[in-house]
Amino acid sequence: MIESVNNERVKHWTKLNDKKYQREEGLFLVEGEHIVIEAEKTGLLKEVIVLEGNDFEYENRTIVSENVMKKITPLKSPPRIVGVVEILKSREISGSVVLLDAVSDPGNLGTIIRSCVAFGVDTLVLGTGCVSLYNPKVVRASEGLLFHVNIVERPLEEAIPTLQERGYKIYATDVRRGTTLKNTTFSSRTAVVMGNEGAGVREEIKAICDEYLYIEMSSQCESLNVGVATSIILYELYTNLNIQ
């Protein structure tokens, strides 16, 4: 069992909370039994760190003291198990697509990942300015579903024209110029751009999209949280348009 917070392995694990170090090492941390199990299913789980007093059985397992676990994770209450996982490998974009323009809140990104999986989205594109996919809060909010959708990091200025060349129609959300969901005619190859929590989709991104849409709502509410709005749009696509 490792008890010293100055142990070199502990220092390595702790640094895996840093975005730059994650990229250098090709690794990130996941916290909690459920997400560790999801990581193991993908074959990306490299090792596990187990809090003393727990009997999780894994081939590459290290037991640590409570002080060490508190050092490794930013959570107030140390988890019983932490996994060291390889960074995800993206593949070619296909199927229905969601593109995010500078979505910065970790909880929102986690929610969007879960909705993408729930409603059959094949690929999620993270544009410039998005919160890191490997931010611990994103990983926790995704409930492990980040392992079940193709996630690509690419500037939207590059991704959108590429999709259009492949026959995709790109929809951006816009409350002023948009057509309501029920009055929007979707193509079989659909990509939806969702914007930043405060600023929405940038005008330069809207300018290269094909059409605009918005969600009808009560006049007492000006806007929806981007995670909620994305979920509503994806539900409409999934249930009514058979885009899966």
Side-chain angles (χ1 to χ4, degrees), residues 136-169:
K137 292 181 181 178
V138 173
V139 176
R140 289 196 298 273
S142 77
E143 291 287 346
L145 292 183
L146 77 166
F147 299 113
H148 300 284
V149 62
N150 181 36
I151 302 177
V152 177
E153 296 180 81
R154 188 171 303 164
L156 300 193
E157 296 86 345
E158 297 176 9
I160 290 173
T162 299
L163 287 170
Q164 288 167 327
E165 289 172 4
R166 295 176 52 194
Y168 277 82
K169 184 172 283 187

Side-chain angles (χ1 to χ4, degrees), residues 45-218:
L45 183 66
K46 303 298 292 182
E47 62 176 318
V48 296
I49 306 155
V50 177
L51 180 64
E52 61 179 324
N54 293 282
D55 58 357
F56 297 108
E57 293 295 334
Y58 286 88
E59 184 175 346
N60 193 2
R61 180 189 71 163
T62 302
I63 308 295
V64 300
S65 67
E66 184 173 349
N67 282 340
V68 167
M69 189 63 90
K70 286 180 177 179
K71 178 71 173 178
I72 294 167
T73 174
L75 292 176
K76 291 181 179 179
S77 298
R80 297 165 62 211
I81 186 171
V82 169
V84 180
V85 182
E86 289 183 21
I87 279 180
L88 305 180
K89 297 175 177 63
S90 59
R91 51 178 169 76
E92 184 178 354
I93 296 173
S94 63
S96 53
V97 180
V98 172
L99 304 101
L100 301 184
D101 185 23
V103 170
S104 60
D105 182 85
N108 284 336
L109 179 52
T111 296
I112 291 169
I113 290 169
R114 293 172 70 182
S115 293
C116 284
V117 176
F119 301 125
V121 169
D122 177 86
T123 299
L124 175 63
V125 179
L126 305 183
T128 305
C130 284
V131 62
S132 171
L133 174 61
Y134 305 109
N135 180 299
K137 292 181 181 178
V138 173
V139 176
R140 289 196 298 273
S142 77
E143 291 287 346
L145 292 183
L146 77 166
F147 299 113
H148 300 284
V149 62
N150 181 36
I151 302 177
V152 177
E153 296 180 81
R154 188 171 303 164
L156 300 193
E157 296 86 345
E158 297 176 9
I160 290 173
T162 299
L163 287 170
Q164 288 167 327
E165 289 172 4
R166 295 176 52 194
Y168 277 82
K169 184 172 283 187
I170 315 297
Y171 298 86
T173 51
D174 189 307
V175 295
R176 292 180 291 106
R177 295 174 288 179
T179 303
T180 62
L181 280 175
K182 66 181 180 181
N183 293 323
T184 299
T185 302
F186 292 98
S187 68
S188 58
R189 289 194 170 191
T190 296
V192 179
V193 182
M194 303 300 296
N196 173 266
E197 289 82 355
V201 180
R202 288 173 292 150
E203 287 300 323
E204 56 265 40
I205 296 300
K206 290 181 183 179
I208 59 174
C209 293
D210 300 304
E211 293 188 21
Y212 309 118
L213 55 82
Y214 79 96
I215 301 166
E216 286 185 292
M217 65 188 81
S218 163

Side-chain angles (χ1 to χ4, degrees), residues 228-241:
V228 173
T230 303
S231 300
I232 291 171
I233 293 170
L234 296 186
Y235 175 79
E236 183 78 13
L237 291 171
Y238 184 77
T239 58
N240 298 328
L241 305 173

